């Protein structure tokens, strides 16, 4: 960019690639055999209406052998049954498909087969039970998340617990599947038609978005609606009941659970509906289920701007040696970033030699920092690399960055993934089905969007789609919980965990939920990012282990510090740690590469 003229020049940039670029991280999108050799990249994609569960920053943390296991394993070869019959899978793990009633009011009617994946406790002699994990979404695959994060979760909670991931009904390897498209390729072609402009009230974007939402709603009504359509039986209270059934079939009278992001909503539902069945329940990265059930989506961004501002602050504190867009004050870095957005909005930047070629727009850059806010440790450096490449007009660097800015689309119509690898419309079916109905009203939406923009002017155009999506959704659940989302007492108190600044599940929501569940404890982690996993904290990990092991709650007002900061790096000397703390930190760093993605669809 020629800063004196305010235009993008065609002059040659630096010929070398940015040295600070890390290896492209991989998405949690499983691949078929023919894709094994493909480099997997982090998909900082535009907001679309199919679940893209969570992102990983470091491909090397998940060996190709594990990816091969995922590709080779055939979930449908497991015979579903009404009891849990384990089959060996994934190198020392156990898998099963459990038949449960599609409608609990019709126990002898149609069924759903729930996919289960278990990592056995390291010390079977001291085994205390299986901890169920939900990674968020809604509609994230628990079986895949456990494959990515389960071993490290096991190291956090201790050797006495199995780690169990399950695919909620309609999702992943559970059947029937909530797919509104004939093939993944058909869905990808539909997504390519998405509006490239950021949503606002004056550019016609709302009308385009509503038309797309009406199309999807009508198609899903045909594909997953109807009397026994899976879309009517995916509600959160159904999944909460499924968790109770799974626990009891494992011989556990009470639930052991760690839920992230939307998983915090699921934990609230379970604890409100079955307060006497709470064994240990951690909700981490908390969205207030009252706001969720009202389908408002208007508290989420309360701390988003604080997380984005931390990008500029940490870059400044790290200095020029560790941040390639360093400046003398954080505000100067922010001014430069905002200037880039303004210039790109006025004159989008072509990257003609990227594969495939692309045009860099404001929407692409806003999507990038929005997604980066979930995992600052993993992604802030990528935002800095992009900013630096644009400011220096380094086309070589932009070409290298392009696949991580917009995920490449390939034609693979004849090479369809296995059904459990395919995208689904789980987010719409679960979130919109759980929510109150609110047909679109232009004046109401205009007021909503203005309020959202006052909270986060940068990211409101991305988050504002969820209200519109649910306004058009037509498939209503057979069972929708309308009772209290609170409990004066539970059989064991909940542990509520929240970063101080979470981009989409603010601390204020965690505090509100903490107040509604009697006896619960609130643990605050002094970090930026989504859920406690986004930053390694030995303090948080030790409280979580103590809670699972013996039910110990942190003292009121407990705040945990973290062991690593974006750009700056580790805050403590590993060499000075005990061997146990060093091993625990290694596990935490592995988990910080696997951050649940709430509302990223």
């Amino acid at each position: 960019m020629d800063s004196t003229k305010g235009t993008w020049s065609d002059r040659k940039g630096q010929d070398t690639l940015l040295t600070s670029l890390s290896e492209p991280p991989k998405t949690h999108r499983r691949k078929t055999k023919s894709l094994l050799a493909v480099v997997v990249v982090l998909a900082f994609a535009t907001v679309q209406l199919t679940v893209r569960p969570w992102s990983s920053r470091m491909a090397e943390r998940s060996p190709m052998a594990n990816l091969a296991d995922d590709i080779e394993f055939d979930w449908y070869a497991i015979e579903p049954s009404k009891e849990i019959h384990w089959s060996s899978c994934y190198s020392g793990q156990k898998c099963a498909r459990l038949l449960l009633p599609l409608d609990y009011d019709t126990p002898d009617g149609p069924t759903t087969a729930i996919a289960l994946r278990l990592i056995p406790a390291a010390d079977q002699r001291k085994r205390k039970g299986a901890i169920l994990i939900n990674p968020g979404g809604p509609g994230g695959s628990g079986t895949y998340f456990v494959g990515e994060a389960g071993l490290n979760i096991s190291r956090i909670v201790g050797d006495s617990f199995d780690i169990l991931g399950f695919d909620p009904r309609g999702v992943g390897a559970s059947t029937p599947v909530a797919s509104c498209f004939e093939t993944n390729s058909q869905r990808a072609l539909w997504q390519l038609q998405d509006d490239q402009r950021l949503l606002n009230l004056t550019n016609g974007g709302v009308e385009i978005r509503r038309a797309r939402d009406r199309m999807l709603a009508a198609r899903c009504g045909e594909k997953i609606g109807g009397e026994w359509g899976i879309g009517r039986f995916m509600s959160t209270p159904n999944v909460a009941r499924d968790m109770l059934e799974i626990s009891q079939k494992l011989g556990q009278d009470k639930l052991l659970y760690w839920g992230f992001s939307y998983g915090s909503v699921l934990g609230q539902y379970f604890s409100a509906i079955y307060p006497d069945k709470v064994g240990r329940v951690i909700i981490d990265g908390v969205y207030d289920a009252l706001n969720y059930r009202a389908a408002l989506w208007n508290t989420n961004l309360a701390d988003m701007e604080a997380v984005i501002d931390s990008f500029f602050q940490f870059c400044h504190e790290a200095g020029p040696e560790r941040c390639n867009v360093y400046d003398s004050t954080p505000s100067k870095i922010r001014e430069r970033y905002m200037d880039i957005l303004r210039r790109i909005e006025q004159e989008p930047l072509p990257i003609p030699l990227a594969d495939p070629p692309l045009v860099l727009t404001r929407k692409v850059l806003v999507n990038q920092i929005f997604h980066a806010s979930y995992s600052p440790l993993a992604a802030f450096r990528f935002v800095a690399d992009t900013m630096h490449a644009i400011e220096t007009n380094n086309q070589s660097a932009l070409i290298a960055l392009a696949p991580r800015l917009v995920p490449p689309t390939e034609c693979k119509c004849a090479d369809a993934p296995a059904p459990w690898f395919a995208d689904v419309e789980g987010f719409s079916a679960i979130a919109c089905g759980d929510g109150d109905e609110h047909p679109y009203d232009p004046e109401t939406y205009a007021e909503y969007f203005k309020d959202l923009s006052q909270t986060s002017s940068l990211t409101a155009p991305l988050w504002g789609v969820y209200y519109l999506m649910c306004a058009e959704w037509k498939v209503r659940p057979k069972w929708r919980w309308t009772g209290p989302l609170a409990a004066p007492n539970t059989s064991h108190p909940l542990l509520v965990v929240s970063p101080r600044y979470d981009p989409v599940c603010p601390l204020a929501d965690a505090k509100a939920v903490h107040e509604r569940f009697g006896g619960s404890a609130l643990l605050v982690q002094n970090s930026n990012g989504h859920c406690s996993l986004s930053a390694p904290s030995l303090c948080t990990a030790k409280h979580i282990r103590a809670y699972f092991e013996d039910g110990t709650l942190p003292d009121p007002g407990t705040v945990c510090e973290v062991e690593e900061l974006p750009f700056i790096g580790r805050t403590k000397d590993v060499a000075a740690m005990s061997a146990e703390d060093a091993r625990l930190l290694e596990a935490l760093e592995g988990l910080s590469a696997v951050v649940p993605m709430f509302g990223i669809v």
Side-chain angles (χ1 to χ4, degrees), residues 152-172:
N152 284 324
I153 289 175
S154 180
R155 295 184 182 110
I156 301 304
V157 300
D159 293 342
S160 304
F161 297 96
D162 303 329
I163 304 301
L164 194 156
F166 67 99
D167 289 347
R169 17 173 95 210
V171 172

Side-chain angles (χ1 to χ4, degrees), residues 201 441-454:
L201 298 175
D441 173 75
E443 292 183 2
T444 301
Y445 185 72
E447 190 66 27
Y448 165 84
F449 190 79
K450 288 176 183 176
D451 290 344
L452 201 64
S453 298
Q454 289 177 355

Side-chain angles (χ1 to χ4, degrees), residues 163-184:
I163 304 301
L164 194 156
F166 67 99
D167 289 347
R169 17 173 95 210
V171 172
S174 293
T175 57
V177 175
S179 177
C180 302
F181 293 87
E182 302 297 337
T183 64
N184 242 24

Side-chain angles (χ1 to χ4, degrees), residues 278-292:
V278 172
R280 303 283 190 272
V281 168
I282 295 180
I283 53 176
D284 188 337
V286 181
Y287 181 23
D288 190 336
L290 289 177
N291 192 276
Y292 167 84

Side-chain angles (χ1 to χ4, degrees), residues 6 27 35 94 104 136 145 148 207 216 228 259 262 268 311 317 401 412 453 493 508 526-527 552 559 583 588 598:
T27 58
L35 299 183
K94 298 179 179 181
Y104 281 103
F145 183 73
E148 292 291 286
E207 289 70 28
L216 187 70
W228 290 105
Y262 158 79
Q268 291 169 66
F311 168 82
E317 291 180 10
L401 288 162
K412 293 189 175 297
S453 298
N526 192 21
S527 62
T552 303
V559 177
R583 286 192 294 269
L588 289 165
F598 177 68

